[in-house]
Amino acid sequence: MNYPLNHGWSFSKGKPAEAQSALLKNAETIEIPHCVDMYPAQYISERAYQGDYTYQLRFDCKDDSPSKTLVFHGVMLQFDCYLNGTHLGHFISGYLPVYIDVSEHIRPKNNLLCVYVDGREDHEIPPFGKVVDYLTFAGIYREVELLCRPKAHIEDVFVQASLNGKVNLSYALSEEGEVRVEVHDGETLVHEGKDKDFKIPNVHPWSIEDPHLYDFDFYLGQEHVHKRIGFRDIRFGVDGFFLNGKRVPLIGLNRHQTYPYFGPAAPKSLQQDDADLLKSGGINVVRTSHYPQSEHFLDRCDEIGLLVLDEIPGWQYIGKDKNWRRNCCDFARRMILKERNHASLIAYGLRIDESGDDDELYGKIQAIKAELDPKRPSIGVRNFKDSHCLEQIYGYNDFSNDSLEHGVEPAKQIKGAEGKPILITETNGHMFPTKTFDPTDRRLEQALRHAKTLSDALSDNRYCGELSWCAFDYNTHKDFGSGDHICHHGVYDIYRNPKYAAAFYKSQGEAPFLEVASLVQPGDANEALMPKIYCFTNADYVELYKGDAHIGKFLPDKASYPGVPHPPIVVDDIIGETFHEKGISEKDGKKIVEAFNYCSQNGFSRLRLSHKLTLARFMAKYHMKFSDVYATYAKYIQSWGEGSVLWRFLAYKDGKKVAEVRRGPSTEFHLEAIASKDTLVHGDTFDCLRIQVLKKDQYGTTLPYASDPIQIETEGPIEVYGPNIVSLYGGGTAVYIRSKATKAPKESVVTIKGISDSVEVRLLVLPQ
Ligand code: GAL
């Protein structure tokens, strides 16, 4: 049996010796997962958690199984553990679980567990030793549990399941024994036996589109272990990445595991929420940069068909010190053991991100992989060419995209990768940091840079695909970021609100989608110009209307973005069919419209000679003065006063309208609140949901410059995780709501009050 130990801990700062034998008086009662402080989303310093912290738990253990193991799924960074006054040892966790045998020390009643956590950055433990571009925080930030097992039990199971239905099992058992396995496909038993090699006939494969999982139940005497397993084949080659024999161009993002207020201590539901957001956000692969992440996140990736690349902890630096190197190898071993049953995991990241060559260290790590999981490939991520590649895949971070004209380098220029599969593992990021409240042109350029790098990468068949930097803005050390300790490199902000770049990725997915990356407000750009309007959509075309008047039909820009599945659609004509001037022929009208559109995008002062000549010719032909030309221009282009218009963008797929976006002058404003789910279950841990709060206008456009205060009130067994008063940030924020203990199901309400309106979110809170 597994007993979760996450509720009712005591926590205090410091490391008082008396905590080993008695509960501290002035301790705070907390719940695991826990970070040693609740930090603001911005302006947090790594200095805040360089210290000692004491966690204590009183608990009973009625289970009389002879083997008892305490499992800490994630403690940042290292800890000493005492049970009933006995020192059980010193343990290094960081991003990996720690198993402690407590069989000899545990009592049926009134155990006292005392954990001294040391959150300091220790130069003998990766990722530390030099600088690191992310914050690690401190605390017992993943769950704790007690495993009570018979003497003969299963320590570990490794299942290899292939597309042809073949299964190979290997076990680590505490004593000799025979394990019986049952395999279920839903309710149907499809295999039962003690063989380690067998075959499931007509297996239902695991894929991105249909991530089918089988239930494997292992029995050794009284003991039962359950795993969810997918049958699939993966292959990385010089000709790309193949899943179940089919080439899949990889389109991905990198993810850091931190959240506002929580740091890394977000419970299961928020880990799942991130995976769901990424999957519905149009990508097919995520890299858990730059360390092993929560099992809840990986389980969810298995369930929803989001491919994963993991990575050992680190950042650019390789220690020379022998303890550092031992810890690095140990982390690689523990990461593989933790993650090797995941169907979604397509390669291990077995090189410190962007580190130099070190054949001695990476040779050892390859030997560990060969011992634990020889078949699954590994990737090494570097940011330079001509590197020794001991891994099976050459990962390359290409930051050569310094403009909209250049995406990534051709694969043939990546010397050192000859004969190996190549995957671009990062682009963009620091090349163009972008905030949700940045001016539109910057937010658009970020999106187009992502479109360009992805298009270049997918146009070159030598690449298996591209993962860009990065999914979500993240907290970082003083040396990085925008001075606010945030790297604004995400396509979503730190609250998981989308920038236009997120809309670009979402448009690469198959669910009908349209986002217009413009407010279509002349005053938003310099000189009141109206730059070209980019539509991120997977539709076949977009029809633009000004009010009811049809302007034109616009097609995907395949010429500029040939590699991506769904190139953006560029609206470069906002007059189109509406141009009718008495006496002006249709042919001449088209030329005038072209010149007017150019003016509206670039300004009269930047008219090209050809446009000037066109206009001069028409002035002569139609006896117009320049003021007449300007008045005609203003009639079609300017939309002040009476001319204020509603722009309607209609997206069509297979001849059917699939989406519509409206833009117009914002005159009515409201708050919108969308909860990531509607039920919280206060179970093994507290549960949590994210409420996306956006300020919008009457057309549903998010108002990126809104920074109003909002106040949050709750009723029921729930609590706001974070401050109760916050400011919108780029037109939005996230409100996190956590469950509290309840004996019976309770209706609960969250009220979000803005300056002129308020919204309610109704929830149900359930006991487990
Ligand atoms: C890379 C690094 C990432 C992040 C990124 C910012 O060099 O691998 O961790 O720092 O730069 O763009």
Side-chain angles (χ1 to χ4, degrees):
M1 277 286 279
N2 301 13
Y3 299 91
L5 296 180
N6 301 311
H7 297 294
W9 285 72
S10 299
F11 170 77
S12 42
K13 294 191 175 159
K15 192 182 176 182
E18 60 273 25
Q20 293 159 33
S21 48
L23 274 186
L24 295 175
K25 292 257 160 39
N26 297 321
E28 189 190 337
T29 304
I30 59 102
E31 307 270 292
I32 306 289
H34 180 259
C35 183
V36 294
D37 251 316
M38 185 180 288
Y39 300 102
Q42 302 161 275
Y43 297 103
I44 326 163
S45 162
E46 56 279 8
R47 290 197 189 167
Y49 52 80
Q50 306 299 313
D52 290 308
Y53 305 93
T54 301
Y55 287 83
Q56 294 174 290
L57 181 73
R58 277 247 179 250
F59 68 101
D60 295 341
C61 174
K62 306 236 167 69
D63 192 312
D64 58 6
S65 312
S67 166
K68 310 257 180 13
T69 309
L70 265 179
V71 189
F72 289 85
H73 285 277
V75 179
M76 190 57 74
L77 174 68
Q78 48 193 326
F79 62 102
D80 277 275
C81 190
Y82 292 79
L83 184 61
N84 303 323
T86 306
H87 186 218
L88 301 176
H90 180 83
F91 306 93
I92 299 175
S93 169
Y95 301 95
L96 288 154
V98 167
Y99 297 83
I100 309 174
D101 183 354
V102 292
S103 315
E104 301 303 317
H105 310 284
I106 205 157
R107 306 191 286 235
K109 281 194 90 65
N110 216 20
N111 290 284
L112 179 65
L113 180 62
C114 168
V115 183
Y116 292 128
V117 172
D118 179 352
R120 290 178 193 85
E121 300 186 352
D122 182 330
H123 286 204
E124 292 189 352
I125 304 176
F128 306 113
K130 211 174 161 221
V131 289
V132 184
D133 171 22
Y134 50 92
L135 290 188
T136 53
F137 299 92
I140 305 183
Y141 73 98
R142 291 183 191 151
E143 291 90 331
V144 182
E145 60 184 329
L146 177 68
L147 308 184
C148 296
R149 300 180 289 190
K151 205 147 173 279
H153 59 259
I154 304 168
E155 300 275 3
D156 191 32
V157 188
F158 179 34
V159 186
Q160 295 180 85
S162 323
L163 180 65
N164 60 10
K166 283 198 178 154
V167 177
N168 171 263
L169 303 173
S170 50
Y171 305 109
L173 306 179
S174 63
E175 353 184 291
E176 292 254 317
E178 258 197 324
V179 178
R180 188 174 62 82
V181 60
E182 281 180 13
V183 182
H184 282 89
D185 181 4
E187 298 292 298
T188 317
L189 179 70
V190 293
H191 175 83
E192 185 180 18
K194 292 187 172 167
D195 289 348
K196 290 188 183 157
D197 290 288
F198 55 89
K199 188 169 172 180
I200 307 284
N202 306 317
V203 84
H204 185 157
W206 183 94
S207 67
I208 294 173
E209 301 78 23
D210 179 15
H212 192 78
L213 295 171
Y214 283 75
D215 289 294
F216 278 60
D217 292 283
F218 303 93
Y219 298 93
L220 177 64
Q222 297 305 304
E223 222 221 335
H224 171 212
V225 171
H226 174 247
K227 302 263 174 226
R228 302 199 75 200
I229 301 293
F231 288 76
R232 89 284 183 275
D233 283 353
I234 48 173
R235 180 173 79 77
F236 280 89
V238 289
D239 49 348
F241 168 72
F242 294 79
L243 178 64
N244 301 335
K246 190 178 126 214
R247 189 175 194 273
V248 178
L250 294 173
I251 302 178
L253 291 166
N254 288 270
R255 174 203 187 228
H256 270 303
Q257 67 172 6
T258 48
Y259 297 73
Y261 319 127
F262 294 86
K268 179 176 175 180
S269 45
L270 292 185
Q271 306 288 340
Q272 295 177 331
D273 181 46
D274 265 8
D276 291 346
L277 204 62
L278 293 173
K279 171 81 181 180
S280 65
I283 63 168
N284 56 26
V285 60
V286 57
R287 172 168 169 240
T288 65
S289 50
H290 300 300
Y291 39 76
Q293 299 189 2
S294 161
E295 279 300 293
H296 302 308
F297 181 76
L298 299 181
D299 284 345
R300 191 66 178 163
C301 291
D302 287 348
E303 285 164 14
I304 61 178
L306 179 61
L307 304 172
V308 178
L309 303 170
D310 66 8
E311 193 164 44
I312 52 173
W315 201 77
Q316 294 193 345
Y317 169 77
I318 301 180
K320 295 277 165 280
D321 162 273
K322 86 174 183 320
N323 288 340
W324 193 100
R325 298 169 80 86
R326 195 199 51 230
N327 284 327
C328 183
C329 292
D330 183 48
F331 284 163
R333 172 177 293 280
R334 288 158 65 186
M335 177 179 85
I336 296 174
L337 288 173
K338 163 169 127 42
E339 303 187 353
R340 62 185 176 165
N341 285 315
H342 287 287
S344 56
L345 184 67
I346 54 171
Y348 296 111
L350 293 185
R351 188 181 165 113
I352 303 283
D353 172 60
E354 294 188 338
S355 56
D357 289 338
D358 189 325
D359 288 3
E360 196 262 343
L361 178 69
Y362 293 134
K364 274 192 184 153
I365 291 181
Q366 281 303 309
I368 294 172
K369 184 195 94 70
E371 174 202 330
L372 299 177
D373 189 356
K375 288 202 191 134
R376 192 170 342 223
S378 67
I379 185 167
V381 172
R382 66 272 289 156
N383 53 356
F384 61 99
K385 296 169 190 156
D386 257 331
S387 158
H388 277 189
C389 181
L390 304 189
E391 305 81 28
Q392 294 68 52
I393 308 159
Y394 199 102
Y396 185 63
N397 290 353
D398 184 330
F399 287 108
S400 63
N401 64 311
D402 53 3
S403 75
L404 279 175
E405 274 62 61
H406 171 83
V408 300
E409 292 182 71
K412 62 175 186 298
Q413 286 178 14
I414 316 300
K415 301 278 172 252
E418 294 81 4
K420 296 241 168 181
I422 323 176
L423 178 62
I424 297 182
T425 30
E426 294 182 31
T427 60
N428 289 293
H430 64 276
M431 298 304 289
F432 205 76
T434 304
K435 305 173 184 75
T436 25
F437 46 85
D438 273 339
T440 304
D441 54 355
R442 189 167 184 95
R443 288 181 288 118
L444 173 62
E445 181 165 346
Q446 185 203 25
L448 295 179
R449 282 173 175 244
H450 278 265
K452 178 68 178 149
T453 56
L454 185 66
S455 176
D456 281 8
L458 298 189
S459 301
D460 187 335
N461 277 335
R462 231 348 228 110
Y463 285 128
C464 295
E466 179 211 88
L467 292 88
S468 236
W469 193 262
C470 63
F472 311 115
D473 291 353
Y474 57 97
N475 294 120
T476 190
H477 278 78
K478 62 174 180 9
D479 317 84
F480 304 95
S482 299
D484 54 356
H485 291 261
I486 296 183
C487 278
H488 296 268
H489 302 168
V491 304
Y492 297 84
D493 73 6
I494 202 163
Y495 301 104
R496 279 55 176 166
N497 282 326
K499 304 175 194 172
Y500 286 149
F504 162 69
Y505 284 101
K506 199 168 172 105
S507 70
Q508 302 312 302
E510 290 313 315
F513 178 73
L514 168 66
E515 169 66 311
V516 175
S518 165
L519 297 172
V520 201
Q521 291 291 333
D524 192 36
N526 294 345
E527 301 174 29
L529 297 176
M530 186 76 99
K532 288 179 187 168
I533 301 167
Y534 280 78
C535 301
F536 296 118
T537 182
N538 42 21
D540 299 332
Y541 57 91
V542 162
E543 301 272 14
L544 175 63
Y545 289 83
K546 189 177 187 178
D548 290 328
H550 187 242
I551 290 187
K553 171 175 170 175
F554 300 87
L555 299 172
D557 184 4
K558 289 199 177 119
S560 309
Y561 305 96
V564 302
H566 301 290
I569 291 180
V570 189
V571 172
D572 54 2
D573 175 6
I574 54 170
I575 306 172
E577 292 169 16
T578 60
F579 190 84
H580 296 292
E581 289 298 312
K582 243 197 182 148
I584 297 187
S585 72
E586 200 182 320
K587 194 164 151 230
D588 288 350
K590 283 212 166 109
K591 291 245 153 91
I592 294 175
V593 165
E594 197 196 310
F596 280 0
N597 275 311
Y598 189 88
C599 279
S600 86
Q601 289 158 20
N602 302 283
F604 264 96
S605 60
R606 290 179 201 88
L607 271 183
R608 289 192 185 126
L609 184 61
S610 60
H611 295 132
K612 286 184 185 158
L613 291 175
T614 306
L615 291 180
R617 203 151 46 82
F618 294 134
M619 280 162 66
K621 182 168 172 186
Y622 295 108
H623 310 293
M624 291 164 93
K625 294 190 285 262
F626 182 73
S627 55
D628 299 326
V629 173
Y630 194 83
T632 317
Y633 171 79
K635 175 171 155 196
Y636 288 99
I637 294 286
Q638 284 179 349
S639 46
W640 291 336
E642 292 305 308
S644 291
V645 288
L646 170 64
W647 301 94
R648 296 191 299 128
F649 299 80
L650 274 48
Y652 285 84
K653 180 130 194 137
D654 302 324
K656 274 198 224 112
K657 188 178 117 180
V658 289
E660 176 170 348
V661 168
R662 294 169 172 228
R663 294 280 189 265
S666 304
T667 50
E668 289 160 37
F669 312 101
H670 64 276
L671 285 177
E672 194 176 276
I674 303 168
S676 55
K677 56 182 193 167
D678 57 12
T679 307
L680 291 173
V681 183
H682 195 79
D684 293 352
T685 67
F686 65 92
D687 196 3
C688 219
L689 57 78
R690 173 177 58 94
I691 303 180
Q692 181 187 40
V693 180
L694 297 173
K695 180 152 175 158
K696 294 195 164 178
D697 72 6
Q698 72 272 34
Y699 302 116
T701 307
T702 300
L703 304 170
Y705 312 124
S707 55
D708 316 354
I710 58 166
Q711 188 177 347
I712 310 125
E713 288 168 9
T714 60
E715 274 168 51
I718 53 173
E719 210 168 59
V720 180
Y721 201 102
N724 285 61
I725 299 180
V726 291
S727 290
L728 298 182
Y729 175 93
T733 189
V735 170
Y736 294 94
I737 300 295
R738 53 162 292 183
S739 64
K740 294 205 293 192
T742 173
K743 292 222 166 68
K746 282 263 165 59
E747 303 267 349
S748 303
V749 188
V750 183
T751 309
I752 298 167
K753 295 187 173 165
I755 40 181
S756 50
D757 66 334
S758 73
V759 268
E760 265 185 16
V761 175
R762 294 190 165 268
L763 317 167
L764 187 64
V765 185
L766 302 177
Q768 196 169 33

